């Protein structure tokens, strides 16, 4: 550890000094990063630190949320000192980064990084059952997601890798034979696509607009 600095822990924060602390933020791709802040840093400063790591400029669409002591999701009030806010309301000092404001048309989003984060958010909402869609829509979206995440169908000798990939909402109980049939339908949907700049953007729009 540089400078021989020793960390001490208090309320599960990593405290670097009386005036600084390190907090964890879970991103939309499920990775967790750490940010070093002063005890007076606002939620906005933390959000900007996350955005800098993600090379994200359109921060006004995004926010930070946490689980309250009653296990309810609650958005951080960005203008307030973050540590005091979490100490008062949060169950633990783990933050989650996410889309706070949606736009009616994906073309409103100017930055590629913004559109990609929207894609991750709505994909996560579909898989976790917060955004409902029909089975046909699930197959279509899964095919687009495979294209966005893995590229063209013809890059692969087979589609066996799809069996290890989460394609369908977690609360969709499927028998093995049905799952195999739907996975093959996703493979055919994947085959229908080719590398197109903006596939991820199309997927993001489809996911929340079902266009």
């Amino acid at each position: 550890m540089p400078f021989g600095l020793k960390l001490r822990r208090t309320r599960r924060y990593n405290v670097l000094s009386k005036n600084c602390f390190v907090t964890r933020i879970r991103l939309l791709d499920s990775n967790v990063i750490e940010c070093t802040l002063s005890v007076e840093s606002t939620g906005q400063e933390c959000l900007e630190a996350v955005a800098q790591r993600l090379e994200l400029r359109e921060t006004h669409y995004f926010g930070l949320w946490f689980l309250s002591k009653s296990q309810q999701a609650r958005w951080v009030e960005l203008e307030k000192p973050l540590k005091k806010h979490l100490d008062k309301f949060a169950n633990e000092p783990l933050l989650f980064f996410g889309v706070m404001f949606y736009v009616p048309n994906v073309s409103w989003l100017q930055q590629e990084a913004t559109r990609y984060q929207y894609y991750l958010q709505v994909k996560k909402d579909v898989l976790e059952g917060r955004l409902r869609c029909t089975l046909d829509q699930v197959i279509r979206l899964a095919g687009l997601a495979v294209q966005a995440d893995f590229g063209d169908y013809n890059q692969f000798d087979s589609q066996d890798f799809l069996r290890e990939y989460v394609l369908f909402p977690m609360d969709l109980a499927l028998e093995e034979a049905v799952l195999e049939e739907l996975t093959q339908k996703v493979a055919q949907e994947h085959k229908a696509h080719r590398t197109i700049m903006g596939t991820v953007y199309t997927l993001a729009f489809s996911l929340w607009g079902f266009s």
Side-chain angles (χ1 to χ4, degrees), residues 34-84:
E34 292 186 339
C35 286
T36 303
L37 303 164
S38 83
V39 294
E40 298 302 322
S41 293
T42 63
Q44 183 65 41
E45 290 175 273
C46 183
L47 177 61
E48 289 172 357
V50 174
Q52 186 175 20
R53 303 250 192 127
L54 297 174
E55 299 182 345
L56 190 65
R57 295 190 302 274
E58 297 175 283
T59 57
H60 47 284
Y61 295 122
F62 300 91
L64 300 168
W65 59 276
F66 59 88
L67 288 175
S68 70
K69 293 175 182 177
S70 60
Q71 295 298 304
Q72 299 297 309
R74 177 169 177 168
W75 290 103
V76 168
E77 296 181 33
L78 296 177
E79 73 281 1
K80 294 185 176 180
L82 180 63
K83 188 173 185 303
K84 292 179 182 178

Side-chain angles (χ1 to χ4, degrees), residues 165-181:
Y165 185 61
V166 179
L167 298 170
F168 309 110
M170 296 176 184
D171 60 353
L172 193 62
L174 299 171
E175 295 180 358
E176 187 172 346
V178 175
L179 181 60
E180 179 64 24
E181 179 184 352

Side-chain angles (χ1 to χ4, degrees), residues 179-209:
L179 181 60
E180 179 64 24
E181 179 184 352
L182 295 181
T183 300
Q184 291 306 311
K185 288 183 178 181
V186 170
Q188 290 304 308
E189 184 72 31
H190 180 204
K191 187 176 182 179
H193 301 290
R194 291 292 183 270
T195 299
I196 303 171
M197 186 62 68
T199 296
V200 170
Y201 316 152
T202 302
L203 173 58
F205 181 77
S206 297
L207 279 168
W208 75 73

